[in-house]
Amino acid sequence: SLGSGVIISNDGGTCYIVTNSHVVNGASRAEVTIGDNRYEAQIVGHDAKTDLAVVSIKATGYTPMEWGDSADLTVGEWVMAIGTPYGYEQTVTTGIISAMYRSDVVQDATGSSSVYTDMIQTDAAINPGNSGGALVNDKGELIGINTYISSTSQSSAGLGFAIPSSTVKRVAEQLIAGKTVTHAFLGITMVSSTDPSGVAITSVYKDTGAARGGLQTGDVITKMGDKTLTSRQDLSAAMKGYRAGDTVTLTVYRGGQYIEVELTF
């Protein structure tokens, strides 16, 4: 498989590189090329749910890319995609943020499906080989990992999608630490609400954080922690900052009044 990656840490001669899980999943060996140098890579770990992976190489002299905050992105902001499309190394394309919080179901060549949520959409040209490469802002900071395209021709149609840096950082840190990647799960079905603005609960699953916290069908969640919610996408994005076992306070509209509900994912 051919893909791209980003050096996010250089710790005592070990460089950690983040890429997509689908780039390295199932590989018996991995090789990293940086300029004229080639390195045998170790697969540190991968998380199929977020389609992220970390590999490591023994090398010095490389500067990790600085993190940017994907939560601060705005539609229309200029970005650059960096990667190896069709094997052309160190290719840079430019574009803008076309939309935020996109969700999609993507099938691979084997017919298996991956569910992507809260993705950054960009019209910067992304092609096969860009997977795992950097999406950066105008400061050169890492704001996303380019992951897939929506195209009938399997080449750029101006519809590229990247995993937000907030998710990348959280998952990569867990993988590097040797931990099993955990994801916060609320345990509800929901629809967006306009009166009041927020997320209306349509059902609550048994034995979940939502059930244990006392959430009820008909509740409208208006805030998660200090983040105001106006849509399902807002809730999904807010949950990216939490892990299984974390505790959060929700502001809920119920029976004509606002209450606070504390629950543990």
Side-chain angles (χ1 to χ4, degrees), residues 190-207:
M190 57 188 172
V191 294
S192 297
S193 171
T194 57
D195 186 22
S197 182
V199 177
I201 298 175
T202 54
S203 64
V204 179
Y205 295 114
K206 294 180 179 179
D207 301 321

Side-chain angles (χ1 to χ4, degrees), residues 22-62:
H22 73 256
V23 172
V24 299
N25 189 27
S28 58
R29 60 180 294 269
E31 184 179 81
V32 170
T33 300
I34 306 176
D36 295 328
N37 299 319
R38 294 178 180 268
Y39 303 91
E40 282 290 324
Q42 299 296 317
I43 299 175
V44 176
H46 65 93
D47 177 53
K49 185 175 179 64
T50 54
D51 197 6
L52 291 168
V54 173
V55 302
S56 67
I57 58 173
K58 295 296 183 181
T60 58
Y62 296 116

Side-chain angles (χ1 to χ4, degrees), residues 73-90:
L73 297 177
T74 57
V75 173
E77 180 176 340
W78 284 100
V79 292
M80 294 182 291
I82 305 172
T84 311
Y86 297 110
Y88 290 96
E89 298 178 6
Q90 302 177 38

Side-chain angles (χ1 to χ4, degrees), residues 142-200:
L142 181 65
I143 56 169
I145 292 295
N146 301 317
T147 299
Y148 74 96
I149 58 177
S150 180
S151 171
T152 56
S153 66
Q154 299 305 307
S155 59
S156 178
L159 295 169
F161 298 88
I163 302 168
S165 60
S166 57
T167 300
V168 177
K169 190 173 189 293
R170 175 176 60 83
V171 172
E173 287 175 347
Q174 292 180 73
L175 291 175
I176 292 171
K179 299 178 180 178
T180 300
V181 178
T182 59
H183 304 280
F185 178 67
L186 188 54
I188 62 172
T189 59
M190 57 188 172
V191 294
S192 297
S193 171
T194 57
D195 186 22
S197 182
V199 177

Side-chain angles (χ1 to χ4, degrees), residues 1-261:
S1 178
L2 180 66
S4 306
V6 180
I7 297 175
I8 57 171
S9 174
N10 193 339
D11 184 12
T14 299
C15 286
Y16 291 99
I17 301 168
V18 68
T19 185
N20 282 135
S21 176
H22 73 256
V23 172
V24 299
N25 189 27
S28 58
R29 60 180 294 269
E31 184 179 81
V32 170
T33 300
I34 306 176
D36 295 328
N37 299 319
R38 294 178 180 268
Y39 303 91
E40 282 290 324
Q42 299 296 317
I43 299 175
V44 176
H46 65 93
D47 177 53
K49 185 175 179 64
T50 54
D51 197 6
L52 291 168
V54 173
V55 302
S56 67
I57 58 173
K58 295 296 183 181
T60 58
Y62 296 116
T63 302
M65 181 167 279
E66 293 185 8
W67 291 101
D69 188 355
S70 54
D72 287 341
L73 297 177
T74 57
V75 173
E77 180 176 340
W78 284 100
V79 292
M80 294 182 291
I82 305 172
T84 311
Y86 297 110
Y88 290 96
E89 298 178 6
Q90 302 177 38
T91 294
V92 179
T93 56
T94 63
I96 62 169
I97 299 294
S98 303
M100 297 290 295
Y101 310 123
R102 292 296 200 199
S103 298
D104 205 354
V105 178
V106 179
Q107 280 194 332
D108 63 19
T110 67
S112 62
S113 298
S114 297
V115 179
Y116 294 96
T117 59
D118 305 324
M119 302 292 282
I120 301 168
Q121 181 183 332
T122 178
D123 65 352
I126 295 174
N127 288 288
N130 271 115
S131 289
L135 186 71
V136 304
N137 59 19
D138 58 4
K139 298 177 183 177
E141 297 169 332
L142 181 65
I143 56 169
I145 292 295
N146 301 317
T147 299
Y148 74 96
I149 58 177
S150 180
S151 171
T152 56
S153 66
Q154 299 305 307
S155 59
S156 178
L159 295 169
F161 298 88
I163 302 168
S165 60
S166 57
T167 300
V168 177
K169 190 173 189 293
R170 175 176 60 83
V171 172
E173 287 175 347
Q174 292 180 73
L175 291 175
I176 292 171
K179 299 178 180 178
T180 300
V181 178
T182 59
H183 304 280
F185 178 67
L186 188 54
I188 62 172
T189 59
M190 57 188 172
V191 294
S192 297
S193 171
T194 57
D195 186 22
S197 182
V199 177
I201 298 175
T202 54
S203 64
V204 179
Y205 295 114
K206 294 180 179 179
D207 301 321
T208 62
R212 291 188 292 269
L215 291 180
Q216 302 173 9
T217 299
D219 287 349
V220 178
I221 305 172
T222 60
K223 291 182 71 174
M224 174 173 283
D226 60 355
K227 294 184 178 179
T228 300
L229 309 179
T230 60
S231 66
R232 296 171 56 190
Q233 291 85 351
D234 286 348
L235 178 60
S236 297
M239 286 185 60
K240 293 292 185 180
Y242 296 93
R243 304 178 185 179
D246 286 350
T247 298
V248 65
T249 299
L250 303 177
T251 301
V252 174
Y253 183 79
R254 177 191 297 169
Q257 60 182 353
Y258 291 91
I259 61 173
E260 290 191 345
V261 175

